[in-house]
Amino acid sequence: MIRVMVVDDQALVRRGFALVLDNEPDIEVVAEAGNGVEAIEGAREHQPDVILMDIRMPEMDGLEATARLLQTEEITEAGNTACRVIILTTFDPDEYVFRALQAGASGFVLKDIPPEALVTAVRTVADGGAMLAPGITQRLISQFAQKLGTGRNLAERLERLTRRESEVLAAIADGKSNAEIAGALFIGAATVKTHVSSVLSKLGLRDRAQAVVFAYECGLATAGGRDVGF
């Protein structure tokens, strides 16, 4: 059973998402929250596997709450290192979404997402994957990643990868699925999974969403015309 918490300052929106997810046999909405402070408290108490997190909320926004849950002592206090965050937003992707991915979020979805797509997103993220809505383009990610520059630490981390692992990382940043990567590199699907796991482990990344961000930050991937989505 996938345990989910829905965080949004609009009660009607929260209830709508909760009703969609609770209708699935393998998903249980264990808590709802109206701001980031309540989200952290709810994570401690209910131990959700996945948190649907709005960005713009009073008291503490979703960006700060995500960072505290995934990058600070809050995650230790919650006792739940496997918790994953999906950002909810009504607006087109901007710098806040990119910063949320940097903070450790496993992706984002627009609030007008079809119900079946929301369910797929939750299952994908709970299974360790990433969910980036088609609206987030390589050009957008590159725009904000270029502001950060290519630091020495990033370059040194990239050097940990073998040539093949670097190719796999570049393919992930291009939005390719495991099956597409296997076809492009002429290797088996099982081998791709092994390479993806190795890339995440060597670079100290949580999932494919952070892999995309890292690829642009270090300059391995550059702006292009294809949308990124998993």
Side-chain angles (χ1 to χ4, degrees):
M1 185 68 70
I2 302 171
R3 298 168 58 82
V4 177
M5 178 167 65
V6 182
V7 185
D8 195 292
D9 61 334
Q10 298 181 38
L12 188 59
V13 173
R14 290 200 310 270
R15 274 285 77 209
F17 281 117
L19 287 172
V20 168
L21 296 174
D22 262 336
N23 197 42
E24 299 299 317
D26 60 334
I27 298 176
E28 177 186 10
V29 176
V30 296
E32 297 180 29
N35 57 56
V37 174
E38 293 178 1
I40 291 173
E41 294 173 351
R44 289 191 185 122
E45 180 178 355
H46 298 284
Q47 302 288 288
D49 301 306
V50 176
I51 299 175
L52 296 179
M53 181 83 74
D54 189 22
I55 289 182
R56 298 177 178 179
M57 297 181 293
E59 294 192 55
M60 180 188 294
D61 64 25
L63 192 63
E64 183 177 352
T66 296
R68 290 196 181 191
L69 281 167
L70 301 182
Q71 293 189 327
T72 70
E73 69 277 1
E74 298 290 355
I75 196 168
T76 301
E77 291 176 10
N80 185 3
T81 57
C83 176
R84 295 179 180 275
V85 174
I86 300 175
I87 297 297
L88 294 171
T89 181
T90 57
F91 52 90
D92 291 336
D94 61 12
E95 183 175 6
Y96 292 106
V97 172
F98 182 79
R99 288 169 57 195
L101 293 176
Q102 285 184 306
S106 294
F108 79 93
V109 295
L110 300 178
K111 287 186 179 179
D112 61 0
I113 186 174
E116 62 274 13
L118 175 66
V119 173
T120 297
V122 168
R123 288 174 177 153
T124 297
V125 168
D127 194 40
M131 182 57 62
L132 304 183
I136 185 169
T137 63
Q138 294 175 333
R139 184 169 291 105
L140 174 74
I141 296 177
S142 182
Q143 176 184 351
F144 294 108
Q146 286 173 356
K147 294 180 181 179
L148 303 175
T150 304
R152 181 175 181 178
N153 178 261
L154 290 174
E156 289 176 348
R157 289 167 67 190
L158 184 62
E159 290 176 356
R160 301 172 188 171
L161 304 183
T162 65
R163 179 182 61 82
R164 179 62 86 189
E165 288 168 347
S166 293
E167 292 174 343
V168 170
L169 176 58
I172 291 173
D174 191 41
K176 288 184 170 63
S177 66
N178 282 2
E180 291 172 327
I181 295 173
L185 300 181
F186 303 102
I187 56 179
T191 301
V192 173
K193 291 185 66 175
T194 298
H195 284 317
V196 171
S197 295
S198 182
V199 167
L200 298 180
S201 177
K202 287 183 178 181
L203 297 180
L205 305 174
R206 286 171 58 91
D207 53 32
R208 295 171 77 106
Q210 285 199 332
V212 172
V213 174
F214 179 89
Y216 280 93
E217 285 181 329
C218 72
L220 180 65
T222 56
R226 178 177 176 180
D227 286 344
V228 178
F230 303 111

